[in-house]
């Protein structure tokens, strides 16, 4: 067999690439990540922050423990850069003054009422390439096939895509490269959140993190004002976004 005229790359050169990582190390893709706002969490996230162009699953059973506030610093940075954000099928309408106080521009935040089409709607939004961040609450019946389609739709897009699911989903396989379980933190500390990374690219996480979360407007999560754009999945506005 004739040998190739191209020299084989040295192992050190291969390992220096951002899209290659050792099994005992974290992937390092800083250009595709968004700092979380919590240095101790960034140290455990591949790339040093929340990933773009991949699905992130956030598993939580109890709402109101600071789970949304955990993402606000990252969403605020996307909003400050002029990016559009979308919430697909949220269980509550967000409190506009609280989100604005966190640094998110309400006029560039879309609330999508997807009905029974959450997975389809989310896939179209991810494919559009026009959003900087998408948070979605799919129903418990979302299957592996739908999740694979969403992961494919997110790949290569400059979007932070996060799915909120129950902790029961932790026992099920998922194509999402990052899966994080959230629980209420230490008793007596209202702003403490326990964060456990169940799956990430690279070596497994060894222990959970206890984070102190800033929670603007934590008691006013159901109120929404006219500054939000609320659209239905089948409306012309939704088609324009997708």
């Amino acid at each position: 067999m004739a040998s190739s005229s191209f020299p084989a790359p040295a192992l050190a050169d291969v390992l220096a690439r951002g899209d290659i990582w050792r099994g005992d190390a974290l992937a390092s893709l800083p250009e595709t990540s968004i700092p979380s706002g919590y240095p101790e969490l960034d140290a455990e996230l591949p790339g040093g922050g929340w990933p773009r162009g991949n699905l992130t699953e956030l598993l939580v059973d109890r709402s109101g423990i600071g789970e949304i506030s955990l993402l606000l610093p990252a969403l605020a940075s996307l909003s400050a850069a002029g990016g559009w954000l979308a919430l697909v099928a949220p269980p509550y309408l967000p409190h506009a003054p609280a989100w604005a106080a966190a640094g998110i521009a309400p006029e560039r935040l879309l609330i999508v009422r997807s009905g029974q089409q959450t997975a389809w709607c989310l896939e179209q939004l991810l494919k559009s390439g026009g959003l900087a961040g998408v948070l979605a609450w799919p129903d418990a019946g979302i299957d592996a096939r739908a999740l694979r389609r969403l992961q494919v739709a997110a790949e290569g897009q400059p979007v932070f895509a996060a799915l909120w699911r129950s902790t029961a989903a932790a026992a099920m396989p998922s194509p999402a490269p990052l899966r994080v379980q959230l629980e209420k933190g230490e008793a007596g500390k209202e702003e403490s959140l326990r964060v456990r990374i169940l799956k990430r690219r690279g070596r497994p996480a060894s222990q959970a993190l206890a984070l102190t979360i800033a929670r603007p407007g934590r008691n006013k999560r159901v109120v929404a004002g006219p500054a939000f754009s609320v659209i239905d999945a089948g409306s012309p506005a939704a088609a324009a976004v997708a």
Side-chain angles (χ1 to χ4, degrees):
M1 181 181 295
S3 61
S4 172
S5 59
F6 298 98
L11 179 59
D13 294 335
V14 173
L15 293 177
R17 289 178 48 178
D19 57 349
I20 302 292
W21 63 92
R22 296 172 61 100
D24 60 352
L26 292 182
S28 179
L29 296 170
E31 71 279 8
T32 59
S33 63
I34 310 147
S36 70
Y38 302 92
E40 60 269 58
L41 177 58
D42 288 343
E44 297 294 331
L45 294 174
W50 298 115
R52 296 179 191 253
N54 280 299
L55 286 185
T56 293
E57 286 189 357
L58 299 162
L59 311 181
V60 62
D61 285 331
R62 178 182 174 186
S63 62
I65 62 173
E67 71 282 2
I68 295 293
S69 297
L70 175 67
L71 300 185
L72 289 183
L75 297 178
S77 68
L78 296 175
S79 183
W84 282 81
L85 308 175
L87 308 183
V88 182
Y92 302 99
L93 292 181
H95 183 235
W99 282 59
I104 296 170
E107 66 273 15
R108 288 195 298 275
L109 178 62
L110 303 175
I111 312 298
V112 182
R113 293 170 175 163
S114 57
Q116 301 299 312
Q117 306 177 73
T118 301
W120 176 87
C121 184
L122 179 55
E123 183 179 359
Q124 305 313 306
L125 291 172
L126 294 176
K127 286 181 176 179
S128 75
L131 293 166
V134 179
L135 276 61
W137 288 257
D139 60 46
I142 189 169
D143 57 24
R145 181 174 179 271
L147 289 171
R148 284 194 296 270
R149 289 180 63 90
L150 294 179
Q151 171 61 20
V152 170
E155 287 177 351
Q157 300 290 356
V159 61
F160 170 46
L163 302 184
W164 295 95
R165 305 183 68 192
S166 76
T167 58
M172 307 172 190
S174 170
L178 180 63
R179 307 185 82 189
V180 180
Q181 182 170 321
L182 307 177
E183 300 172 346
K184 185 174 177 57
E186 185 179 343
K189 295 185 178 180
E190 294 185 356
E191 298 180 353
S192 176
L193 186 65
R194 185 176 174 84
V195 179
R196 180 178 295 277
I197 299 175
L198 302 179
K199 176 185 177 184
R200 66 182 179 184
R201 285 176 170 163
R203 57 179 170 78
S206 59
Q207 59 184 6
L209 299 173
L211 302 181
T212 299
I213 306 296
R215 300 172 63 185
R218 63 187 178 190
N219 295 322
K220 301 177 181 180
R221 64 185 178 188
V222 185
V223 181
F228 289 108
S229 300
V230 181
I231 60 177
D232 292 315
S235 70
V241 171

